Amino acid sequence: MRQVLLKGIGGKSKIMLGVSLDKLADFFNKEKTVFITDSNVYRLYGKRFSQYRTFIIEPGEMHKNLRTVHDLYEKMLDIELDRSSYIVGIGGGVICDIAGFTASTYLRGLSFAFVPTTLLAQVDASVGGKNGVNFRGYKNLIGCIVQPEFVLCDFDTLSTLPADELKNGFAELIKHALIGNRAFFSRLESLRDAALMLDKDIMAKIVYDSLKIKTKIVSSDEKEKGERRKLNFGHTFGHAFEKSAGIRHGEAVSIGMVMEARLSNAMGLLSSQDLTRIEKMLLSFGLPVSFKGDRQTIMDAIRKDKKREESYIHAVLLDGIGRSVIKKVDMERIGGVVNDLC
């Protein structure tokens, strides 16, 4: 079992890789713990945590909202949870976001942990302390930054995921390599076939390498005042594609990464050779590098992003593969890249 430790302002978060769901009883007190999951995860793994009180919600991004949180508050009140109670979110990124936000705000904050069952949740949503819900169609508009006490990753759960869901996670793995470690990017290139086959040893290695990059960034800037903004690579524009076109998160982030990579190239930071290498990598993992859609709709969504400042967007650009910088980019230049992508 590998471990990664994230040191936040409010405490530490221990991430344990390769822990079987069969070992949940080693970590949670039956009398004090409540699990939050969705109906899909419960159908697959509910027997593994049937001894715990469990709240089951409907799956999907459309349920990541304040109505769902309100319903969970009602259930928590009905069973009289107190400050000694413990919340565990078991599922994908939506469950981690909802469970973390609900736990962080009920009774001014309950302790919580995550058991992420998707690759995206294992390398992104469960790690870093960002918890939140969508509002009026805009992703994560309401939220907080509170670290889970620990995260347990069982790589066996990845075998039940459809290919499109796995792509979401691989997009984040590639993102971490691009912003923080050129050698890791090269390893992903060489290990692609084994990763796509979900080889356990390889998955443990690349998830560990990915989390080392993310936890280092988060530990240095937990509240996203500077360095942590680099984790938004591909997301600033990706969220616009995701909202406007309804495409999957990983596909949207992939297109967003291509967009910021092309901006980096246009601004003289990233070589054309590296740009080609990045696009080739994304394609090799089955991720898109272009988009067919309405340009104006995309630009309208970008203008509403929370990282916009007047006529500029704070974009994450690549100063070569493995190095990233944050720069203001004007909307006119962004519009030109959108035209090229669409």
Side-chain angles (χ1 to χ4, degrees):
M1 181 180 70
R2 295 181 184 230
Q3 293 188 19
V4 180
L5 185 65
L6 192 160
K7 297 180 180 179
I9 295 173
K12 298 177 182 179
S13 181
K14 184 184 292 187
I15 305 146
M16 288 169 273
L17 309 180
V19 177
S20 171
L21 294 186
D22 293 328
K23 300 293 185 181
L24 292 177
D26 294 347
F27 297 91
F28 306 115
N29 182 312
K30 177 182 175 182
E31 305 305 319
K32 295 290 185 178
T33 303
V34 172
F35 275 66
I36 296 175
T37 190
D38 66 38
S39 54
N40 286 339
V41 174
Y42 191 77
R43 174 175 51 83
L44 290 168
Y45 305 112
K47 291 181 180 179
R48 308 282 190 95
F49 50 94
S50 58
Q51 69 269 44
Y52 301 96
R53 289 178 294 183
T54 302
F55 298 152
I56 304 171
I57 65 176
E58 290 303 307
E61 189 77 21
M62 72 289 291
H63 297 291
K64 198 175 89 171
N65 52 43
L66 290 173
R67 180 180 296 277
T68 298
V69 173
H70 176 273
D71 291 344
L72 289 170
Y73 288 157
E74 293 275 14
K75 292 177 180 179
M76 290 177 170
L77 187 62
D78 288 344
I79 65 173
E80 300 181 350
L81 292 192
D82 58 33
R83 293 297 300 276
S84 67
S85 301
Y86 203 90
I87 304 298
V88 179
I90 176 167
V94 170
I95 287 296
C96 292
D97 279 344
I98 292 172
F101 180 75
T102 303
S104 298
T105 51
Y106 191 73
L107 296 179
R108 298 184 180 177
L110 301 179
S111 297
F112 65 98
F114 295 138
V115 183
T117 58
T118 67
L119 182 57
L120 177 61
Q122 289 176 358
V123 300
D124 186 49
S126 67
V127 177
K130 282 189 176 182
N131 313 286
V133 295
N134 305 334
F135 185 72
R136 290 176 57 180
Y138 294 99
K139 284 182 68 69
N140 306 320
L141 203 62
I142 300 172
C144 57
I145 298 178
V146 182
Q147 301 295 340
E149 285 195 358
F150 53 90
V151 178
L152 307 178
C153 297
D154 182 348
F155 296 121
D156 282 340
T157 63
L158 303 183
S159 64
T160 64
L161 300 176
D164 285 343
E165 180 57 48
L166 286 169
K167 289 178 187 178
N168 290 337
F170 283 123
E172 293 292 338
L173 280 164
I174 294 168
K175 179 199 79 174
H176 289 153
L178 286 172
I179 64 172
N181 193 314
R182 189 180 183 95
F184 179 39
F185 186 87
S186 297
R187 284 197 295 277
L188 282 177
E189 287 178 317
S190 64
L191 296 173
R192 182 192 71 93
D193 291 345
L196 290 174
M197 293 294 290
L198 300 180
D199 179 282
K200 276 192 192 179
D201 291 337
I202 296 303
M203 292 306 298
K205 179 175 177 55
I206 64 176
V207 169
Y208 176 82
D209 288 344
S210 177
L211 290 178
K212 290 292 287 185
I213 295 168
K214 178 167 185 176
T215 55
K216 180 180 179 181
I217 291 174
V218 173
S219 294
S220 69
D221 178 30
E222 186 178 18
K223 300 298 183 181
E224 199 170 328
K225 301 298 183 182
E227 188 75 4
R228 184 169 183 168
R229 292 179 180 177
K230 293 179 178 179
L231 292 170
N232 291 322
F233 179 65
H235 289 64
T236 299
F237 304 118
H239 284 168
F241 289 104
E242 189 173 1
K243 180 183 186 301
S244 303
I247 60 177
R248 298 182 70 87
H249 179 76
E251 295 171 333
V253 169
S254 179
I255 296 168
M257 289 192 287
V258 171
M259 189 169 169
E260 289 184 291
R262 290 187 182 183
L263 282 170
S264 304
N265 176 253
M267 296 174 68
L269 295 170
L270 182 72
S271 70
S272 296
Q273 181 180 3
D274 276 352
L275 175 60
T276 299
R277 189 178 170 193
I278 290 167
E279 294 186 1
K280 183 179 179 181
M281 164 78 98
L282 292 168
L283 287 170
S284 75
F285 276 91
L287 292 161
V289 297
S290 62
F291 178 77
K292 292 181 180 179
D294 182 69
R295 299 172 179 84
Q296 190 56 51
T297 302
I298 298 298
M299 287 304 298
D300 287 346
I302 291 173
R303 288 189 185 95
K304 292 175 182 175
D305 190 273
K306 54 184 174 288
K307 290 172 280 296
R308 182 179 65 84
E309 183 179 308
E310 297 179 346
S311 62
Y312 295 87
I313 285 281
H314 290 277
V316 183
L317 304 180
L318 298 178
D319 185 16
I321 292 174
R323 297 189 303 274
S324 49
V325 293
I326 301 164
K327 289 187 178 292
K328 284 173 140 184
V329 182
D330 64 80
M331 295 302 293
E332 183 176 354
R333 187 185 286 271
I334 291 168
V337 176
V338 170
N339 287 337
D340 289 341
L341 279 176
C342 295

